[in-house]
Amino acid sequence: MKFKIDTDTWFIFCLIFFGILSIFIFLYVYIPYSTRKRNTKRRNNRISRKLENFERVEKKYIQHKIIDLESKNEQLKVTLKEDITKIINSKQDADFEAFFSNFEKLYPDFKTSIYQIAPNLTSNELKLSAFLRLNLSSKEISNLLNITPESVNKARYRLRKKLYLSANEDLSTFILKI
């Protein structure tokens, strides 16, 4: 038996063969591409969830740390207020030492930063600047140091000169910024 295929049938078979071959080639390329794309999307989602969890945990940690530091700060402020009242009531130098140890816990870099600005400060000027850092008035400082308010104003003037402040700058705001 002889099969004779005319050119039209041959052309149709070739078209079907190449069509099926192109479908297989397309699937051979498309399936791994879509799998890689899906896996990449999953990985990116997993990474973004991990980053969100990390940021959430970090925010909680920072909030807990801030709350802890604020409570310690409040305790130190209460301790400073108690020390100030002890100083007012007893007028002893030992109370000043306790006050300044608590002051340095509350403002740890204050002493070093003020000595960087003016390295030749005396202990009385350092006390004055600490009281100004606590935003006390001249009258309150005079009661604490057992001197007159005029003496406090003169000491403020001398401190202003040692800190090289101009006439426009306020000493209290400058010390609060330190």
Side-chain angles (χ1 to χ4, degrees), residues 7-168:
T7 55
D8 290 337
T9 313
W10 179 256
F11 181 71
I12 291 174
F13 281 131
C14 286
L15 280 178
I16 291 173
F17 176 75
F18 284 120
I20 292 172
L21 184 65
S22 62
I23 289 172
F24 281 129
I25 290 173
F26 175 75
L27 291 176
Y28 182 75
V29 171
Y30 178 74
I31 290 174
Y33 171 76
S34 65
T35 306
R36 277 193 311 262
K37 194 172 181 179
R38 244 183 292 128
N39 288 341
T40 305
K41 199 177 211 180
R42 278 190 212 139
R43 260 188 247 119
N44 288 342
N45 286 338
R46 197 176 316 131
I47 288 171
S48 66
R49 282 193 312 263
K50 284 182 180 181
L51 282 174
E52 288 171 0
N53 286 340
F54 176 74
E55 288 173 356
R56 186 174 40 83
V57 168
E58 188 177 32
K59 282 181 183 178
K60 279 185 178 180
Y61 174 74
I62 289 172
Q63 287 174 349
H64 287 295
K65 196 170 184 176
I66 287 173
I67 290 170
D68 186 41
L69 287 174
E70 284 176 348
S71 66
K72 285 181 182 177
N73 226 0
E74 288 301 317
Q75 289 172 351
L76 284 173
K77 283 181 182 179
V78 168
T79 308
L80 277 176
K81 287 179 183 177
E82 291 172 358
D83 289 343
I84 289 175
T85 57
K86 284 180 188 176
I87 291 170
I88 290 172
N89 294 334
S90 66
K91 308 285 187 213
Q92 293 179 356
D93 288 335
D95 291 332
F96 273 120
E97 292 174 11
F99 167 76
F100 280 108
S101 67
N102 288 330
F103 180 81
E104 286 190 9
K105 288 178 189 174
L106 188 61
Y107 305 106
D109 297 331
F110 180 76
K111 191 175 183 179
T112 56
S113 59
I114 201 161
Y115 274 135
Q116 285 178 349
I117 297 170
N120 56 350
L121 287 180
T122 64
S123 62
N124 286 334
E125 291 167 338
L126 185 63
K127 284 181 189 178
L128 176 66
S129 60
F131 290 137
L132 289 173
R133 180 69 172 105
L134 292 173
N135 209 11
L136 297 177
S137 67
S138 294
K139 190 179 269 188
E140 292 169 327
I141 296 171
S142 68
N143 286 337
L144 288 173
L145 297 176
N146 201 19
I147 57 177
T148 63
E150 292 83 25
S151 299
V152 173
N153 289 334
K154 287 180 186 176
R156 286 174 64 116
Y157 175 74
R158 287 188 204 107
L159 182 62
R160 174 189 283 286
K161 284 175 74 176
K162 284 192 178 181
L163 293 175
Y164 305 109
L165 295 177
S166 65
N168 329 8

